[in-house]
Amino acid sequence: MPISNQVAVVGTGVTRFGELYDRSYLSLLHEAATAAADDAGVEVGALEAAWLGTAEPQLGALVGDSAAAVTEALGFAPRPVTRVANFCATGMEAVRAAALAVAAGEYEVVLAVGAEKMRDLAPRESLVAKAVEQSHPVIAKGRTAPGQFALVASRYLHTYGYGRDVLAAVAVKNHQHATNNPKAHYRTPLTVEQVLSAPMAAEPLGLLDCTPTTDGAAAVVLASRRWAERNARQWVLIQGIGVGSYAGYYPALFRRDNDFLGFAATRAAAASAYRQAGITDPRAQLDLVECHDCFTITEIVNTEDLGLFASGTGGAELLAGTTTLGGELPVNVSGGLQSCGHPVGATGVRMVAEVTDQILGRAGSRQVRGARRGLAHNLGGPGAVAAVTVLGAA
Amino acid sequence: MPISNQVAVVGTGVTRFGELYDRSYLSLLHEAATAAADDAGVEVGALEAAWLGTAEPQLGALVGDSAAAVTEALGFAPRPVTRVANFCATGMEAVRAAALAVAAGEYEVVLAVGAEKMRDLAPRESLVAKAVEQSHPVIAKGRTAPGQFALVASRYLHTYGYGRDVLAAVAVKNHQHATNNPKAHYRTPLTVEQVLSAPMAAEPLGLLDCTPTTDGAAAVVLASRRWAERNARQWVLIQGIGVGSYAGYYPALFRRDNDFLGFAATRAAAASAYRQAGITDPRAQLDLVECHDCFTITEIVNTEDLGLFASGTGGAELLAGTTTLGGELPVNVSGGLQSCGHPVGATGVRMVAEVTDQILGRAGSRQVRGARRGLAHNLGGPGAVAAVTVLGAA
């Protein structure tokens, strides 16, 4: 488990997330990367290698289909640049690739950046419509992303006796959190009534149960612990970073062992990250969690898959305020995907940046008091892959 | 330089390359991966993590746009699977990502697999037409891949006083080599006359100066040196693996420091790999080279960029037989991209497998006698990125 505590996050940079029609993919990438370098106190020219997370370059004009985007945006030549992609876990995979390279001792200080331009296409071309593989006949039968997560939502509500209000509570909590995040796509509070009365997307998920389609970029500078100790102003340690997988493209539909009540990929990723980080009681040992909430139900079941709450109790803990800022274990104090939006390649990097900023005590009005250790989680596929990163104070 | 000699290639698997209309992407991936595992003497279930190289999933039905393809093809859940992509260097990037993870000590034995289905589309949708980024106006003006490499070919012939026969000599050599490779797309010898009289693609590059469009997959199993010493039957060591970049999407056209006589990305990648491997005189210290020959000119200038021959002499060494099987330093004894074809994500992995098989003395009728150390090289972009791997006998 050699990554553990050997790699530091020494700088973070996040652009505003939103409908950024006036910004190009390359300018967003540049803004995030240079902000992260500035925060780390290094020139971009001092970064030895870079990893780019972009998931769906075909949604745009194929910019970001290779890491040449980094070379072009940052003048990065002749240094190594590499693109990684793994559904909605793409951003955290960029962080993991960079962390592995540092842990290998190959580089001392590197860049992980995620970026995605998603608003330049008509909504029917959006991620919600296209995040599922196109060749299979079921796609023609309405198996959209909301449709697939609706299966989980229906099963969860049925099995544990919740109503749609538990789903709405996620949206309300995360939108309230986002009022404290100047970079979120949406910063307007919602009421339960508003969420419940929104147009239905895929029953029981309404429009306000879904992440919006968003542009944005985020970056972190990673360094070896040795480099951080000598050069960094502020830094946190990557205590663990794990990836898990469940099935191929159609996990929710075709695997008999799927109970539609959670995500095995999340459980596998968490087990790996917790082993590295020495976490045995995540609820007690974590101070905050950024958890993938592409749909409201996703947050609820993933908090259970992450071992924060027992099966079926994630909804009750949510309703009791456990996961609200100020509660016992705040989840998505950034506003989550629900309010920040989900520029796919950027999201996992944004989460790592958020947890870093929280541990460093510089999260402003959304600061989790005394945060010393936090977790960031990405789910992709849906449910095909997941990534979990545990970050802790140095 | 911690990768150096810490990571072993313990198994190789390559499918037939060609027009495989009857084979799916997933079945090719499965064949290559299970062959590599068999060769390593391990079950697929013993592999701890996997990296997938696929460059252009949008050429097909987006299969391979995430590493869920590995999960699906191999039943790999719940283990980590990650996709990497970097133009035509994608395959070697998969090997590098896997090698870095092993060098970090995170895993003991892992899979790197590359696959690409390219023949299911009409030729105008082929790589040659689409390997360049689509949004820029120059693409509408014929800036195809052959068009861009033709600029290098013209400049090289003009500057050093060669005729088109030097280009043809690459095609003739590599097609002759491929008669010894049962997995090559083309196994028919060519004459200089045939190459010179082929239809012109982009002057001075004719049709037979271009790699074909091809389906295929290749895989290697990588392990820590410790694991290899305990468990492997036959293995080679990764002595160095480097990536370099030059510019963004339009390097050949827009950068003033481009002399059109070589590829700076190759020079950067080679410098990194040679430093790790302790190579100071590549011509003397290497026994064979697999060199990216997407076009005939690409091989000639890259052999110079790799430091095998002085500038302008790559053509003369080629014509003198230096790089022919049986010559001083054989280049592309597999047949290269010219004859094997270039299923993008697979190519770099195939090259690493070829050099491994050569060093292990199991390359059949194309065996380079006494091969102890070899190099594999990918160029992508064109010229935007490059990757170089040096492999040596254990």
Side-chain angles (χ1 to χ4, degrees):
Chain A
M1 296 158 284
I3 275 191
S4 183
N5 294 319
Q6 296 309 308
V7 183
V9 183
V10 299
T12 66
V14 180
T15 71
R16 189 164 77 79
F17 279 25
E19 300 190 353
L20 309 177
Y21 293 108
D22 57 330
R23 299 290 304 280
S24 73
Y25 172 98
L26 291 177
S27 77
L28 290 171
L29 194 164
H30 178 270
E31 178 186 333
T34 53
D38 285 350
D39 184 42
V42 298
E43 301 288 329
V44 168
L47 303 171
E48 297 168 62
W51 283 262
L52 171 67
T54 290
E56 306 280 355
Q58 71 274 16
L59 293 184
L62 291 183
V63 175
D65 73 334
S66 94
V70 175
T71 320
E72 188 153 317
L74 300 177
F76 209 76
R79 290 161 284 170
V81 291
T82 303
R83 175 184 166 221
V84 298
N86 222 2
F87 287 135
C88 296
T90 292
M92 211 169 291
E93 283 278 31
V95 175
R96 174 170 169 257
L100 286 168
V102 171
E106 197 66 27
Y107 310 104
E108 288 294 309
V109 54
V110 303
L111 176 70
V113 58
E116 208 93 28
K117 276 288 283 183
M118 305 183 69
R119 292 298 310 182
D120 293 349
L121 296 183
R124 71 184 177 82
E125 294 290 306
S126 73
L127 178 74
V128 168
K130 298 193 68 170
V132 282
E133 193 265 332
Q134 310 280 303
S135 65
H136 199 275
V138 293
I139 187 63
K141 302 184 180 188
R143 201 190 59 102
T144 60
Q148 292 175 88
F149 282 89
L151 298 173
V152 177
S154 296
R155 188 71 195 166
Y156 188 85
L157 301 190
H158 171 78
T159 301
Y160 299 120
Y162 291 102
R164 283 187 65 215
D165 59 302
V166 75
L167 305 177
V170 174
V172 170
K173 168 178 70 71
N174 291 353
H175 281 259
Q176 181 59 44
H177 286 165
T179 62
N180 296 305
N181 185 355
K183 291 177 174 171
H185 189 158
Y186 293 139
R187 301 185 59 200
T188 309
L190 292 176
T191 66
V192 170
E193 175 55 31
Q194 283 175 306
V195 180
L196 293 178
S197 61
M200 191 59 68
E203 191 181 352
L205 301 175
L207 185 63
L208 295 175
D209 289 287
C210 308
T211 180
T213 304
T214 303
D215 303 322
V220 291
V221 173
L222 303 185
S224 70
R225 183 175 185 155
R226 178 179 55 239
W227 189 97
E229 287 169 349
R230 290 180 189 165
N231 301 285
R233 296 182 286 221
Q234 289 187 297
W235 45 288
V236 307
L237 286 171
I238 295 178
Q239 299 189 338
I241 186 164
V243 168
S245 63
Y246 176 55
Y249 294 99
Y250 313 106
L253 298 177
F254 295 159
R255 273 189 67 145
R256 292 188 182 186
D257 62 349
N258 186 4
D259 62 8
F260 290 85
L261 291 169
F263 298 104
T266 297
R267 297 192 287 274
S272 172
Y274 290 165
R275 192 167 54 242
Q276 295 169 40
I279 287 183
T280 53
D281 182 351
R283 179 172 182 165
Q285 292 177 271
L286 294 169
D287 301 317
L288 80 153
V289 168
E290 286 285 302
C291 171
H292 204 87
D293 58 329
C294 52
F295 300 94
T296 49
I297 185 63
T298 322
E299 176 177 310
I300 295 172
V301 298
N302 272 310
T303 57
E304 299 177 5
D305 292 324
L306 290 169
L308 308 179
F309 311 122
S311 298
T313 68
E317 297 283 359
L318 165 74
L319 293 169
T322 306
T323 59
T324 304
L325 180 59
E328 179 195 331
L329 181 52
V331 174
N332 288 327
V333 292
S334 67
L337 282 62
Q338 289 290 317
S339 304
C340 292
H342 181 30
V344 178
T347 289
V349 187
R350 177 193 63 73
M351 291 171 155
V352 169
E354 175 72 23
V355 175
T356 297
D357 290 344
Q358 289 281 351
I359 294 171
L360 294 178
R362 59 188 192 184
S365 57
R366 66 182 188 279
Q367 179 67 45
V368 176
R369 287 201 184 178
R372 298 277 299 164
R373 179 146 68 171
L375 177 150
H377 160 264
N378 261 179
L379 180 76
V385 293
V388 169
T389 304
V390 176
L391 298 149
Chain B
M1 296 157 285
I3 276 190
S4 182
N5 294 320
Q6 296 310 307
V7 182
V9 183
V10 300
T12 67
V14 180
T15 71
R16 189 165 76 81
F17 280 24
E19 301 189 353
L20 309 178
Y21 293 108
D22 58 329
R23 299 290 304 278
S24 73
Y25 173 96
L26 291 177
S27 78
L28 291 171
L29 194 165
H30 179 270
E31 179 187 333
T34 53
D38 286 351
D39 184 42
V42 298
E43 301 289 328
V44 168
L47 303 172
E48 298 167 62
W51 282 262
L52 170 67
T54 290
E56 306 279 356
Q58 70 274 17
L59 293 183
L62 290 183
V63 175
D65 73 334
S66 94
V70 174
T71 319
E72 188 154 317
L74 300 177
F76 209 76
R79 289 161 284 169
V81 291
T82 303
R83 174 185 166 219
V84 297
N86 223 2
F87 287 135
C88 296
T90 292
M92 211 169 293
E93 282 278 31
V95 175
R96 174 169 169 258
L100 285 168
V102 170
E106 197 65 27
Y107 310 104
E108 288 295 309
V109 55
V110 303
L111 175 70
V113 57
E116 208 95 26
K117 276 288 283 183
M118 305 182 67
R119 291 299 310 183
D120 293 349
L121 296 183
R124 68 183 178 85
E125 295 291 305
S126 74
L127 180 73
V128 169
K130 298 194 67 169
V132 282
E133 194 265 330
Q134 309 282 304
S135 65
H136 199 276
V138 296
I139 187 64
K141 301 184 180 187
R143 200 189 60 102
T144 60
Q148 291 176 89
F149 282 89
L151 298 174
V152 178
S154 297
R155 188 70 195 166
Y156 188 87
L157 300 191
H158 171 78
T159 301
Y160 299 120
Y162 291 103
R164 283 186 66 215
D165 59 302
V166 75
L167 304 176
V170 175
V172 170
K173 169 178 69 72
N174 292 353
H175 281 259
Q176 181 59 43
H177 286 165
T179 62
N180 296 306
N181 184 356
K183 292 179 175 171
H185 189 158
Y186 293 138
R187 301 184 59 199
T188 309
L190 293 176
T191 64
V192 171
E193 176 54 34
Q194 285 176 305
V195 180
L196 293 178
S197 62
M200 192 59 70
E203 193 181 353
L205 300 175
L207 186 63
L208 294 175
D209 289 287
C210 307
T211 179
T213 304
T214 302
D215 304 322
V220 291
V221 173
L222 303 186
S224 69
R225 183 175 186 155
R226 178 179 56 238
W227 188 97
E229 287 170 348
R230 291 180 189 166
N231 302 285
R233 296 183 286 221
Q234 288 186 298
W235 45 289
V236 306
L237 286 171
I238 295 179
Q239 299 188 337
I241 184 163
V243 168
S245 63
Y246 175 56
Y249 293 100
Y250 313 106
L253 298 178
F254 294 158
R255 274 189 66 145
R256 291 188 183 186
D257 62 348
N258 186 5
D259 62 9
F260 291 84
L261 290 170
F263 298 105
T266 296
R267 296 193 287 274
S272 172
Y274 289 163
R275 191 168 54 243
Q276 295 169 41
I279 288 184
T280 52
D281 182 352
R283 180 173 182 163
Q285 292 177 271
L286 294 169
D287 300 318
L288 80 152
V289 168
E290 286 284 303
C291 171
H292 204 86
D293 59 329
C294 51
F295 300 94
T296 49
I297 185 63
T298 322
E299 176 177 310
I300 296 172
V301 297
N302 272 311
T303 58
E304 299 177 6
D305 292 324
L306 290 169
L308 308 178
F309 310 122
S311 296
T313 69
E317 296 283 359
L318 165 76
L319 293 169
T322 305
T323 59
T324 304
L325 181 60
E328 179 194 330
L329 180 52
V331 173
N332 287 326
V333 291
S334 66
L337 282 61
Q338 290 289 318
S339 305
C340 292
H342 180 29
V344 179
T347 289
V349 187
R350 176 194 63 73
M351 291 171 154
V352 169
E354 175 72 23
V355 175
T356 297
D357 290 343
Q358 290 280 351
I359 293 171
L360 295 177
R362 57 188 194 184
S365 57
R366 66 183 186 279
Q367 179 66 45
V368 176
R369 285 203 186 178
R372 298 278 297 167
R373 180 146 66 172
L375 177 149
H377 160 263
N378 262 180
L379 179 76
V385 293
V388 169
T389 304
V390 176
L391 298 149

